[in-house]
Amino acid sequence: MAHEQNVSTAKQNGQDARIAEAAKANLDKAADKTNEQNKQFSDAAREGVNKMVGLHEKAAETTKQVMQNSIETASQHTREAADRFSKTLGFTGQDSERLAQQSKQNIEAVTRCGTVLSQALQDASRSLFELGQKQFQRNLDGLTKLTQAKTVQEFATIQSDLMRESLQHMVQDSKAITETSARAVNEASQTFSSVAPAR
């Protein structure tokens, strides 16, 4: 009877070992599948973001060209209107030349300022998109780190580190955008300062 009990225990231990090995193999397969799915998701997301960047750059370039064409057209119409206005009011000689020169300078300043501001808008838009792309990648990396946590304490530590880093990046990104905007405003201001007022 003791011998049968030992045989039964040995069989049970063998079955337990096989079950444990099968469970371990299933867990390994599930982990591999999860890692592969995470990689596929990350690759698909990266590809989507790259396509969006391309479309965004095309849209920004088209917008810039439309704005420049509009400014040039408005400048031409303003010059023509100023010429007609001068002729209608009967300005001649030096007055006509002075007014025409002042009008030309004003229109050129507006055109340069429009170009500067449209370039600044394009740069800011590109910067925002690039920053968004970087933040997306950081979020994916952070999610990967969180899924690799072994304990609740490790998860909490990783999560708090990610929150701190996210806020730090947000401050740095905001500073970069502010500096770019300030440079554009300064350059536009200098464009208008270079034009002497009419006398």
Side-chain angles (χ1 to χ4, degrees):
M1 176 113 176
H3 177 56
E4 288 177 10
Q5 193 174 19
N6 287 340
V7 169
S8 175
T9 302
K11 284 182 182 179
Q12 183 65 36
N13 288 343
Q15 287 177 348
D16 290 346
R18 283 191 299 275
I19 291 172
E21 285 178 26
K24 184 178 183 289
N26 286 338
L27 285 174
D28 288 344
K29 285 179 186 177
D32 289 344
K33 188 174 182 179
T34 301
N35 287 338
E36 181 61 29
Q37 287 174 342
N38 284 342
K39 184 181 180 307
Q40 288 174 352
F41 174 75
S42 178
D43 291 344
R46 189 174 295 113
E47 182 180 331
V49 168
N50 288 336
K51 285 181 181 179
M52 288 173 46
V53 167
L55 291 174
H56 182 269
E57 287 176 352
K58 286 179 185 177
E61 185 61 32
T62 301
T63 301
K64 179 183 174 185
Q65 289 174 352
V66 167
M67 287 182 70
Q68 286 178 335
N69 290 340
S70 297
I71 290 170
E72 289 171 8
T73 302
S75 297
Q76 180 64 31
H77 289 301
T78 304
R79 269 186 244 125
E80 291 170 1
D83 289 343
R84 285 193 302 270
F85 185 70
S86 295
K87 289 176 185 174
T88 302
L89 292 178
F91 288 115
T92 58
Q94 287 183 337
D95 284 340
S96 177
E97 286 180 30
R98 184 179 55 79
L99 287 174
Q101 184 63 27
Q102 184 64 44
S103 180
K104 180 182 173 189
Q105 287 177 347
N106 289 340
I107 290 168
E108 287 173 354
V110 169
T111 302
R112 283 193 310 264
C113 183
T115 301
V116 166
L117 292 177
S118 75
Q119 182 64 42
L121 178 64
Q122 185 179 5
D123 291 346
S125 180
R126 185 180 301 116
S127 293
L128 282 171
F129 198 77
E130 288 171 359
L131 294 173
Q133 189 178 14
K134 287 177 185 176
Q135 184 59 41
F136 180 76
Q137 185 59 48
R138 287 191 296 256
N139 288 346
L140 283 177
D141 294 343
L143 185 60
T144 300
K145 288 179 185 177
L146 285 172
T147 60
Q148 294 172 350
K150 305 278 189 255
T151 65
V152 174
Q153 291 84 3
E154 186 178 359
F155 184 88
T157 301
I158 292 170
Q159 186 179 30
S160 66
D161 287 345
L162 291 173
M163 288 173 56
R164 179 189 50 78
E165 289 171 5
S166 180
L167 286 173
Q168 183 179 2
H169 287 295
M170 185 175 69
V171 169
Q172 290 170 346
D173 295 347
S174 298
K175 182 180 177 185
I177 292 169
T178 301
E179 288 171 353
T180 301
S181 299
R183 276 194 306 272
V185 168
N186 188 33
E187 192 173 335
S189 176
Q190 289 174 351
T191 299
F192 284 120
S193 299
S194 67
V195 178
R199 295 174 199 207

